[in-house]
Amino acid sequence: MTDTSSTHHVLIVEDDEVTRARIAAYFESENYRVSQSEDGEGINRLIAESAIDVVMLDINLPGKDGLQLARELSEKTDVGIILVSARSDEIDRIIGLEIGADDYVTKPFNPRELLARVKNLIRRKQSDQSRHQNQRSKSFSGWTLDLSRRCLSSNTQDKLSLTRGEFELLVTFLEHPGKTLHREWLMEKVTHRVWSPNERTIDVLVLRLRNKIEQDSHAPQIILTVHGEGYLFASEVL
Amino acid sequence: MTDTSSTHHVLIVEDDEVTRARIAAYFESENYRVSQSEDGEGINRLIAESAIDVVMLDINLPGKDGLQLARELSEKTDVGIILVSARSDEIDRIIGLEIGADDYVTKPFNPRELLARVKNLIRRKQSDQSRHQNQRSKSFSGWTLDLSRRCLSSNTQDKLSLTRGEFELLVTFLEHPGKTLHREWLMEKVTHRVWSPNERTIDVLVLRLRNKIEQDSHAPQIILTVHGEGYLFASEVL
DNA sequence: ACAGAATGTTAATAGTTGTTAACCAAATGA
DNA sequence: TCATTTGGTTAACAACTATTAACATTCTGT
């Protein structure tokens, strides 16, 4: 299966254009897919939609508070966050605030150091992920998904088989419970294609999955719709 | 299992054409079957489809990340992976080996060294395999396959004989449980021919095997279909 | 060369996935 | 508030992919 994103995708949020371009060029030369933003504007959306692995976030942004942004991101997404700050005392404050960032760097920094931290973070995230994947099964609201047999079982009902698409979608939800997942992102994860506006592929897949797992698929309890955003897996996963 | 040809099949993934041609020529002179790719594009597919023994994978590929590629390969296939890196960066080394690569070479390297490592890896893989093969039998979901007598027995039912094709197919599945095997690949392993689209040979063989080993061949539990991909042996093998 | 078995091929059937469009619900703005 | 717009749901269908029975061919042992 050819992945859209075999390259890791990083986002640089930094208001100083020179610094930004320098970091971007460095990461591009290391074969990263690089996105940039000069302020925090719109990065929520960008991250939710385009499978970004790590954000390098400058704290001192014009207008927006970088810390607030970091908090939002760590609440709403599973993206890796590396905070960049000009002052080391500020970093102390951040650590105290337990904001959800995964790592931090103080200016001035060596691009190599930043790269090393990014690599390290990606590796940490991936080994978390593969620990997830190595589980035999996952349970949620009465159902148990058998990952090796690709089927669902429940205590109340019979075993249920899932189609490939339904299985992939459900696995994706189970890996990110409690986060709103956008169509763009789901499309990339499930079908390895990019989503184009007005496409209903994901909606139909959600419909079919709901018909199988929801008690009343017209009043879904497990996979919720977030209007204008995407879908949200609302059950606890064990 | 005897390969199509007595020669081993290696894949060189390297963007520098001169280096690639040099390595290729060297391996060809040593009677290897050599495939080449200048970027990671499509090698997933190539490996899934054409019985490659070892991939030599340059980490610094244009556009694609060799490490990510290595991870995908080691998750989805049982191919041997040797990473080639321009830098002796310790991080790369650690990540590489953690990610599922089998060996590691730094540039500049002597082709003889690379050859030695490839030979070594093939030997390791073969001794793993022959440990497999030296087993008298393999068991899975109630069945025991007697490898020397080429027959199946179970506690509940009578002994069952398998045809050559069914036996080869089953052995192939038993050697790669939990991996989705493509028709192309199965075709090469089982019948030693190449698969052409719309051919149903493998499907029919799977059908016949299912009829013998599945409780309900219309709702298979052991050999699963992965729509658009291939077949997957879903039982645990001991 | 023959019988019988194994294997390969074909085509009708069944199932999965993607697309469309009609319909319904939520947000928006006079 | 109601009309309008935007976004979500869903059935129906089209395109694609897998299953399977029946038949054709090849292989094997005598």
Side-chain angles (χ1 to χ4, degrees), chain B residues 78-176:
Chain B
D78 289 323
V79 75
I81 302 171
I82 294 181
L83 287 177
V84 178
S85 165
R87 295 167 322 190
S88 53
D89 219 327
E90 201 55 30
I91 288 186
D92 284 353
R93 175 175 238 112
I94 293 162
I95 293 176
L97 296 177
E98 208 171 86
I99 238 158
D102 301 290
D103 205 347
Y104 197 94
V105 180
T106 46
K107 284 184 185 174
F109 56 84
N110 188 328
R112 294 181 68 88
E113 185 199 340
L114 188 54
L115 176 66
R117 289 183 187 275
V118 167
K119 274 189 179 165
N120 196 6
L121 178 53
I122 288 177
R123 198 179 319 121
R124 260 152 59 207
K125 279 168 56 70
Q126 279 183 337
S127 78
D128 282 359
Q129 233 177 25
S130 68
R131 196 174 315 122
H132 269 212
Q133 283 174 2
N134 287 339
Q135 278 184 292
R136 285 278 170 90
S137 59
K138 284 170 181 266
S139 298
F140 61 94
S141 52
W143 290 101
T144 300
L145 178 67
D146 183 330
L147 291 166
S148 51
R149 287 179 215 286
R150 302 188 150 227
C151 69
L152 271 172
S153 51
S154 93
N155 8 6
T156 55
Q157 289 158 61
D158 295 332
K159 252 182 195 147
L160 204 72
S161 71
L162 294 175
T163 70
R164 185 189 56 89
E166 290 159 4
F167 176 76
E168 301 266 7
L169 179 64
L170 181 54
V171 168
T172 307
F173 276 127
L174 291 175
E175 281 172 356
H176 305 278

Side-chain angles (χ1 to χ4, degrees), chain A residues 95-112:
Chain A
I95 298 167
L97 287 175
E98 286 175 5
I99 226 132
D102 302 289
D103 204 347
Y104 60 87
V105 181
T106 44
K107 284 184 185 174
F109 57 83
N110 187 330
R112 291 183 68 88

Side-chain angles (χ1 to χ4, degrees), chain A residues 73-84:
Chain A
L73 289 179
S74 75
E75 269 167 20
K76 287 189 188 152
T77 72
D78 288 324
V79 75
I81 302 171
I82 293 180
L83 289 177
V84 178

Side-chain angles (χ1 to χ4, degrees), chain A residues 6-8 31 119 126 164, chain B residues 61 63 65 68 71 92 227:
Chain A
S6 255
T7 316
H8 295 296
N31 294 320
K119 274 189 178 169
Q126 282 184 337
R164 183 184 55 96
Chain B
L61 295 169
D65 178 2
Q68 179 59 23
R71 159 180 286 278
D92 284 353
H227 193 103

Side-chain angles (χ1 to χ4, degrees), chain B residues 4 46 73 76 151 184 209 216 227:
Chain B
T4 320
L46 188 63
L73 290 179
K76 289 187 186 150
C151 69
E184 292 87 332
L209 190 51
D216 174 7
H227 193 103

Side-chain angles (χ1 to χ4, degrees), chain A residues 17-36:
Chain A
E17 204 170 322
V18 179
T19 311
R20 201 171 70 232
R22 197 172 110 248
I23 303 173
Y26 186 69
F27 275 83
E28 272 162 3
S29 77
E30 293 284 333
N31 294 320
Y32 284 77
R33 188 172 148 207
V34 178
S35 294
Q36 304 180 41

Side-chain angles (χ1 to χ4, degrees), chain A residues 1-3 5-8 30-31 112 116 119 123 126-127 130 133 136 148-150 159 164, chain B residues 44 60-61 63-65 68-69 71-72 75-76 87 91-92 95 98 224 226-227 229 232 234:
Chain A
M1 182 178 318
T2 346
D3 207 299
S5 58
S6 255
T7 316
H8 295 296
E30 293 284 333
N31 294 320
R112 291 183 68 88
K119 274 189 178 169
R123 183 170 50 109
Q126 282 184 337
S127 74
S130 66
Q133 285 171 3
R136 287 273 168 110
S148 55
R149 285 180 218 286
R150 302 181 149 234
K159 247 180 199 153
R164 183 184 55 96
Chain B
N44 261 304
N60 297 106
L61 295 169
K64 287 233 167 182
D65 178 2
Q68 179 59 23
L69 221 46
R71 159 180 286 278
E72 281 176 38
E75 265 169 23
K76 289 187 186 150
R87 295 167 322 190
I91 288 186
D92 284 353
I95 293 176
E98 208 171 86
L224 306 185
V226 184
H227 193 103
E229 298 266 303
L232 167 70

Side-chain angles (χ1 to χ4, degrees), chain A residues 101-164:
Chain A
D102 302 289
D103 204 347
Y104 60 87
V105 181
T106 44
K107 284 184 185 174
F109 57 83
N110 187 330
R112 291 183 68 88
E113 186 200 340
L114 188 54
L115 175 67
R117 288 184 187 277
V118 167
K119 274 189 178 169
N120 202 359
L121 178 52
I122 288 176
R123 183 170 50 109
R124 261 151 57 207
K125 280 167 55 71
Q126 282 184 337
S127 74
D128 283 358
Q129 226 176 32
S130 66
R131 198 173 314 121
H132 266 216
Q133 285 171 3
N134 288 339
Q135 276 185 281
R136 287 273 168 110
S137 60
K138 285 169 182 264
S139 299
F140 61 94
S141 51
W143 291 102
T144 299
L145 178 68
D146 182 331
L147 291 167
S148 55
R149 285 180 218 286
R150 302 181 149 234
C151 68
L152 270 173
S153 48
S154 93
N155 9 6
T156 55
Q157 288 159 62
D158 295 333
K159 247 180 199 153
L160 204 72
S161 71
L162 295 174
T163 69
R164 183 184 55 96

